[in-house]
Amino acid sequence: MLSMIFMAVSGTIALMLPLALIIFFRRRKGADLISAGIGAAVMILFAFVLESGVHKLVAQSPLHEPIGENFIAYGIYGGVMAALFEEVGRYLAMRFLMKKQWNNPSNALMYGAGHGGIEAIVLLTITMINNLAYSFMINRGMMEGLIQKLPQSSQVQMQEAVQKLIMSPAPVFLLGAVERISAISLQICLSVFVWLAVTRREKKYFILAFGLHFLFDTLAVLVNHWMGTVVTEIILLLAVITVVLLTARLWKRVKRKMSVL
């Protein structure tokens, strides 16, 4: 029962946090809702469609074994792909689709809320809804009948997923919320950097966004392999807090210069 409560809490946080940020940026900062929509659309297209398509191609290529069997290579590969597709998508969107939003720098924050928000909803909220449905069926003794109705090729995979769900300690399901809070915060910071790269024509900010995205995604894989999920989420959360504080200082300094001009 506690596991199901934590699933519901985690999924709700992943849904409500981006919505709360979008409302805040709209009401308090005057940001345009279209910026969040563009951020969400870019995430779906560049990460969930294009990047996933490349992953499928790599999985069917000779590169699959050397990458999959070496966690360092896998971490680097994942970091490069995530940074490449998301940051290029972010840059193109801000450069060509958001020219009308350039007059309000807070649209960078709104974009980040949409970009990171749809990621949280797809990766965590929907997952927790599925987990809750499976947990309900397990508690009612309905899961075995469902598995038997699946094709033979899918039964083993489903049984492994159910076993993992049953064996997972309840607090584990809250880690997803911690991860998404970190991810959304980082996505907003990365959006600020790319916004500066676009509006101020300074490439260093795009390089910074790309480098940070690569670093965080790669470290997530490596640290998780060495130290486990709990330690990984704590380290990443502390690192994200540091990035947020530094980004806030940069953001205030840039906005102060803009007001003087």
Side-chain angles (χ1 to χ4, degrees):
M1 185 62 182
L2 187 59
S3 292
M4 295 180 69
I5 293 174
F6 286 167
M7 290 176 197
V9 170
S10 192
T12 300
I13 290 174
L15 175 64
M16 297 308 297
L17 177 59
L19 293 178
L21 288 172
I22 289 171
I23 292 172
F24 176 81
F25 293 146
R26 175 59 181 166
R27 292 184 176 179
R28 298 294 296 273
K29 304 293 184 180
D32 299 321
L33 289 175
I34 187 64
S35 300
I38 292 173
V42 167
M43 183 67 192
I44 292 172
L45 175 60
F46 280 81
F48 296 149
V49 177
L50 297 180
E51 184 185 346
S52 293
V54 172
H55 291 327
K56 291 178 181 178
L57 291 176
V58 171
Q60 299 171 359
S61 73
L63 293 173
H64 174 65
E65 287 190 7
I67 292 177
E69 294 176 357
N70 186 317
F71 74 95
I72 295 178
Y74 180 76
I76 293 174
Y77 163 77
V80 170
M81 289 295 102
L84 178 63
F85 281 92
E86 289 187 48
E87 299 315 315
V88 169
R90 200 186 319 257
Y91 179 88
L92 292 175
M94 291 183 176
R95 176 68 178 84
F96 298 106
L97 300 181
M98 296 180 63
K99 287 185 177 181
K100 293 182 179 180
Q101 282 71 47
W102 285 4
N103 63 320
N104 185 351
S106 294
N107 282 311
L109 309 179
M110 183 68 94
Y111 178 99
H115 190 113
I118 195 66
E119 181 183 37
I121 292 170
V122 172
L123 296 184
L124 188 58
T125 300
I126 294 177
T127 298
M128 290 301 110
I129 290 174
N130 288 335
N131 286 345
L132 283 168
Y134 290 153
S135 298
F136 177 82
M137 296 180 70
I138 291 170
N139 291 338
R140 293 298 180 93
M142 302 165 57
M143 183 56 72
E144 191 61 35
L146 174 63
I147 293 176
Q148 291 177 359
K149 294 179 182 180
L150 295 174
Q152 191 69 33
S153 58
S154 302
Q155 288 185 12
V156 175
Q157 183 178 0
M158 178 60 77
Q159 288 172 342
E160 290 177 352
V162 169
Q163 190 63 26
K164 182 179 179 180
L165 192 63
I166 294 173
M167 297 302 294
S168 296
V172 166
F173 297 106
L174 290 178
L175 288 178
V178 176
E179 179 190 21
R180 286 303 106 196
I181 291 171
S182 297
I184 292 172
S185 301
L186 181 63
Q187 290 288 9
I188 292 174
C189 292
L190 297 177
S191 297
V192 167
F193 297 142
V194 176
W195 179 271
L196 293 175
V198 170
T199 59
R200 295 172 65 86
R201 299 288 198 271
E202 295 188 45
K203 295 180 180 179
K204 65 181 181 181
Y205 291 116
F206 179 82
I207 296 173
L208 178 59
F210 188 99
L212 281 174
H213 201 144
F214 164 77
L215 181 63
F216 271 87
D217 277 43
T218 301
L219 282 179
V221 175
L222 301 185
V223 176
N224 185 65
H225 179 86
W226 288 320
M227 302 181 181
T229 305
V230 176
V231 175
T232 299
E233 297 306 331
I234 293 174
I235 291 175
L236 291 180
L237 178 61
L238 293 176
V240 168
I241 290 173
T242 302
V243 173
V244 168
L245 293 176
L246 293 175
T247 304
R249 291 182 60 182
L250 172 64
W251 192 237
K252 289 179 181 179
R253 187 165 69 246
V254 170
K255 291 183 72 175
R256 191 160 50 243
K257 288 182 180 180
M258 291 176 63
S259 63
V260 172
L261 295 175

